[in-house]
């Protein structure tokens, strides 16, 4: 009796996603915990494992299909053989006698596009003598498929069966196993590459409208989810942005003095690291910024922990990993942790836990450019900080103008919870902390 494999609960507020990778095919035997498919949600690409060991008898989803939590993704026959039949594969894995060079040159290549057929099981122990030449003894129709040198393609019967089922020519698949042996994963990866190439070609297909050529581009699941979340936030939260500037001349000098030491340890001492520490210190003084509004709108949840989200620009869109308990981490620890977390995020390798639980978010566009912007609050948070590019400006010190490095930033906040005066004080406190880097170390 086949058992249904359903898409499990993936995390808070995650209702499903798009299938971006299938790792099994009908007929495959899987182990408990083995990845069945990859799903792109609004937060990350998640690997969905098999809950049991058995044989896949039916797939209910396809590449690119949207799947909801709780939906059936496959049927599995529990208790099926966990490994391939040992005897026949063991014999097939034994290297065949190499074809002499003279014969190899005469051996005909298989017709282009012809799928190799499954070799017949040997009836007796192979003899050491060389096989008859193709000129005197034509190969029977059921002979093993040959590569360009006349050598049988190294693949087990189950791999060949999978290739036939999926319509894959094994001669076009590069084996990753010992001695170039083709595995079931190689066949599936080959299909995946072909699918991705077809998708890219479809996205790049040019069309015509009334004025000229246009290009159709599919919006990714992540991009759609970001749009939905931002639209919801914009329509439900009365947001205001408070702008300010911080003189980070001394902070930048301090950063440069210690940057090489942190870099040698594999980290990165960026301005964002100091901004995180300044924000945490300010949140402790202004707890209403580290809160969430209950659905009833009657009370606030003032949070006693400080999880800082840091927006990361990726090819898939803006993703916000979270520095959990940032108040417990020193500037050095943050300088080592943040670059590694950003790298994982760009590679879409972050776990769901690393993408959840933020109490306040920082979005730093200083490395790209711009003078100011208004970031959108991400519920259930009530505030977000946007940092723009720092510039050298002439600042009057009371007797003369001096060149100072000025960092513009803005605090967007939920006006249902935070008043404008408090937002101005909060922004000014962050600026003061950044302008006096010694205070950051005292709070580290």
């Amino acid at each position: 009796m086949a058992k249904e494999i359903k898409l499990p609960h993936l995390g808070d507020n995650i209702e499903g996603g798009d299938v971006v990778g299938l790792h099994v095919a009908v007929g495959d035997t899987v182990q408990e915990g083995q990845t069945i498919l990859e799903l792109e949600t609004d937060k990350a690409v998640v690997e969905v494992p098999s809950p049991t060991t058995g044989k896949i008898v039916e797939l209910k989803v396809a590449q690119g299909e949207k799947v909801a939590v709780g939906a059936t993704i496959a049927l599995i026959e529990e208790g099926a053989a966990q490994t391939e039949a040992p005897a026949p594969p063991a014999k097939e894995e034994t290297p065949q006698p190499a074809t002499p060079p003279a014969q190899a040159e005469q051996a005909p290549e298989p017709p282009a596009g012809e799928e190799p057929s499954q070799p017949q099981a040997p009836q007796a122990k192979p003899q050491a003598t060389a096989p008859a030449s193709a000129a005197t003894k034509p190969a029977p129709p059921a002979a093993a498929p040959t590569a360009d040198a006349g050598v049988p393609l190294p693949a087990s019967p189950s791999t060949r069966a999978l290739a036939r089922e999926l319509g894959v020519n094994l001669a076009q698949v590069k084996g990753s196993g010992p001695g170039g042996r083709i595995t079931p994963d190689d066949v599936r990866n080959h299909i995946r590459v072909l699918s991705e190439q077809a998708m890219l070609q479809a996205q790049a297909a040019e069309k015509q409208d009334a004025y000229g050529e246009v290009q159709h581009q599919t919006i990714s699941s992540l991009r759609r989810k970001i749009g939905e979340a931002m639209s919801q936030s914009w329509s439900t939260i009365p947001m205001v942005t408070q702008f300010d500037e911080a003189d980070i001349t001394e902070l930048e000098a301090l950063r440069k003095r210690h940057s090489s030491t942190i870099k040698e340890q594999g980290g990165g001492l960026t301005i964002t690291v100091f901004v995180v520490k300044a924000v945490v210190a300010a949140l402790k003084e202004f707890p209403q910024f580290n809160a969430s509004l209950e659905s009833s709108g009657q009370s606030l949840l003032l949070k006693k922990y400080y999880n800082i989200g840091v927006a990361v620009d990726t090819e898939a869109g803006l993703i916000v990993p979270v520095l959990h308990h940032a108040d417990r981490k020193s500037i050095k620890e943050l300088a080592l942790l943040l670059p590694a977390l950003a790298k994982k995020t760009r590679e879409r390798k972050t776990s769901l836990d690393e993408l959840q639980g933020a109490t306040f978010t920082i979005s730093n566009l200083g490395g790209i450019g711009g003078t100011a912007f208004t970031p959108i609050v991400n519920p259930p948070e009530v505030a977000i900080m946007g940092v723009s590019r720092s510039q050298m400006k002439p600042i009057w010190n009371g007797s003369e103008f001096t060149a100072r490095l000025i960092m513009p930033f803005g605090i967007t906040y939920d006006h249902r919870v935070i008043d404008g005066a408090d937002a101005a004080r909060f922004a000014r406190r962050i600026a003061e902390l950044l302008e006096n880097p010694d205070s950051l170390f005292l709070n580290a």
Side-chain angles (χ1 to χ4, degrees), residues 158-231:
S158 63
T159 300
R160 296 177 187 279
L162 175 63
R164 286 195 301 273
E165 182 179 342
L166 298 178
V168 174
N169 182 358
L170 285 178
Q172 299 175 353
V173 180
K174 182 178 181 181
S176 63
R181 187 173 182 80
I182 301 172
T183 68
D185 281 343
D186 294 330
V187 175
R188 287 188 284 268
N189 288 336
H190 181 74
I191 286 289
R192 182 175 182 176
V193 170
L194 293 179
S195 298
E196 291 175 350
Q197 291 175 347
M199 185 179 296
L200 290 174
Q201 291 174 359
Q203 290 177 351
E206 292 183 348
K207 299 181 180 181
Q208 297 284 334
D209 66 9
Y211 302 98
E213 295 181 353
V214 297
Q215 179 178 333
H216 176 270
Q217 186 178 63
T218 302
I219 299 177
S220 69
S221 173
L222 176 63
R223 185 71 262 167
R224 294 197 304 271
K225 290 295 184 181
I226 291 174
E228 292 170 4
M230 294 299 97
S231 296

Side-chain angles (χ1 to χ4, degrees), residues 58-329:
E58 185 177 353
L59 283 174
K60 296 288 190 179
V61 296
Q63 183 89 7
E65 185 177 334
K66 294 182 69 65
V67 185
V69 169
T72 301
I73 58 178
L75 297 181
I76 187 170
E77 183 181 304
E78 292 185 291
Q82 298 182 17
T83 58
E84 297 174 359
K91 291 182 179 180
E92 184 175 294
E93 289 178 7
T94 303
Q96 300 297 318
T99 304
Q103 294 184 14
E105 294 175 357
Q106 299 174 7
E109 296 184 357
E114 180 178 319
E115 180 178 342
S117 60
Q118 181 175 337
Q120 295 180 345
Q123 301 298 319
K125 183 178 180 180
Q127 300 298 316
T129 57
S133 69
T136 60
K137 186 178 181 181
T146 56
D148 57 351
V151 180
L153 291 170
S156 67
S158 63
T159 300
R160 296 177 187 279
L162 175 63
R164 286 195 301 273
E165 182 179 342
L166 298 178
V168 174
N169 182 358
L170 285 178
Q172 299 175 353
V173 180
K174 182 178 181 181
S176 63
R181 187 173 182 80
I182 301 172
T183 68
D185 281 343
D186 294 330
V187 175
R188 287 188 284 268
N189 288 336
H190 181 74
I191 286 289
R192 182 175 182 176
V193 170
L194 293 179
S195 298
E196 291 175 350
Q197 291 175 347
M199 185 179 296
L200 290 174
Q201 291 174 359
Q203 290 177 351
E206 292 183 348
K207 299 181 180 181
Q208 297 284 334
D209 66 9
Y211 302 98
E213 295 181 353
V214 297
Q215 179 178 333
H216 176 270
Q217 186 178 63
T218 302
I219 299 177
S220 69
S221 173
L222 176 63
R223 185 71 262 167
R224 294 197 304 271
K225 290 295 184 181
I226 291 174
E228 292 170 4
M230 294 299 97
S231 296
Q232 178 69 15
S233 177
W234 186 261
S235 63
T236 58
I237 298 178
M239 286 180 279
V240 181
T241 302
Q242 172 68 34
F243 295 101
D244 208 324
E245 294 180 335
D247 183 339
I248 61 168
T249 308
E250 279 75 24
L251 179 61
E252 177 62 8
L254 182 149
R255 187 193 70 81
K256 288 182 176 179
R257 286 199 302 272
H258 298 281
S259 180
S260 59
T261 301
I262 298 297
K263 186 175 182 180
E264 290 172 358
Q265 299 177 42
L269 190 59
T270 63
I271 288 296
T272 302
V273 171
F274 293 101
V275 171
V276 169
K277 292 303 293 184
V279 163
V280 169
L283 289 175
K284 291 180 178 180
E285 299 179 28
F286 296 84
Q288 69 270 39
F289 286 81
N290 197 57
S292 60
L293 183 64
E294 288 191 327
S295 57
S296 64
Q298 301 299 311
S299 60
L300 276 178
L301 292 176
L302 300 175
K303 299 172 182 178
K304 302 299 184 180
Y305 54 91
Y306 303 88
N307 295 344
I308 307 302
V310 180
V312 175
D313 182 29
T314 75
E315 292 182 356
L318 196 68
I319 301 177
V320 184
V322 181
L323 295 166
H324 291 93
H325 302 292
D327 57 313
R328 302 178 187 175
K329 296 176 174 63

Side-chain angles (χ1 to χ4, degrees), residues 346-404:
R346 294 189 182 97
E347 296 173 351
R348 304 300 298 278
K349 295 181 179 179
T350 45
S351 66
L352 287 176
D353 182 61
E354 292 172 317
L355 298 170
Q356 295 178 337
T359 60
F360 186 95
T361 295
I362 298 169
S363 181
N364 190 344
L365 296 181
I368 300 175
T371 56
F373 67 102
T374 56
I376 298 176
V377 174
N378 183 30
E381 300 165 44
V382 296
I384 183 173
M385 178 178 183
V387 180
S388 297
R389 172 174 287 180
S390 301
Q391 297 184 43
M392 295 299 295
K393 292 184 177 182
I395 303 298
W396 181 255
N397 63 10
S399 58
E400 60 181 352
F401 284 101
T402 59
R404 308 292 292 180

